[in-house]
Amino acid sequence: MRKIFMIAALLMFGPANAHAEGNPVRGADQYKEECADCHSVVPGKNKKGPSLHGVVGRTPARVEGFEYSDPMKANATPWTPERLDAYITAPKKVVPHGIMKFDGMENAADRADVIAYLRTLGGS
């Protein structure tokens, strides 16, 4: 009976914990699909949006050569994984009146994967 309980607990809680960390390989694919049209990962290469190289841990609105909106300039909370998760979920809730045209990513596992990928690009 104990074995069955342990297996059930692993099935219930194991996958959620795995997604919390994210998979950077899946995240790279998700990034290409959802983010790459507007954001580069090359340092100093901006597109419609700023380069996301080194975004994890960075203070918002700090990429050289990119003109940020006033609401984003007023956003001083560093881009921690938790903050990025909230922003990727619903950008306009985190930075009201921001100009990013992305409505958000509903799937928590996809967000965790994208953040895991972004963590491989430098930053803290």
Side-chain angles (χ1 to χ4, degrees), residues 22-118:
N23 180 312
V25 175
R26 285 194 310 257
D29 290 339
Q30 191 68 28
Y31 177 89
K32 287 175 191 167
E33 185 177 316
E34 297 286 340
C35 314
D37 283 347
C38 297
H39 294 278
S40 168
V41 294
V42 176
K45 182 180 179 188
N46 299 316
K47 293 182 170 182
K48 293 176 191 174
S51 170
L52 296 182
H53 184 272
V55 69
V56 180
R58 182 171 70 209
T59 301
R62 297 296 189 269
V63 172
E64 291 286 326
F66 188 80
E67 185 60 37
Y68 290 93
S69 66
D70 289 338
M72 186 59 78
K73 289 177 189 175
N75 177 19
T77 305
W79 292 120
T80 63
E82 296 79 16
R83 182 84 168 156
L84 283 166
D85 183 60
Y87 188 70
I88 295 169
T89 300
K92 291 184 179 29
K93 285 186 179 178
V94 174
V95 181
H97 310 293
I99 60 172
M100 189 160 96
K101 295 191 184 334
F102 182 67
D103 289 330
M105 186 181 295
E106 291 182 19
N107 187 291
D110 289 346
R111 291 192 314 270
D113 292 344
V114 168
I115 293 165
Y117 170 65
L118 293 174

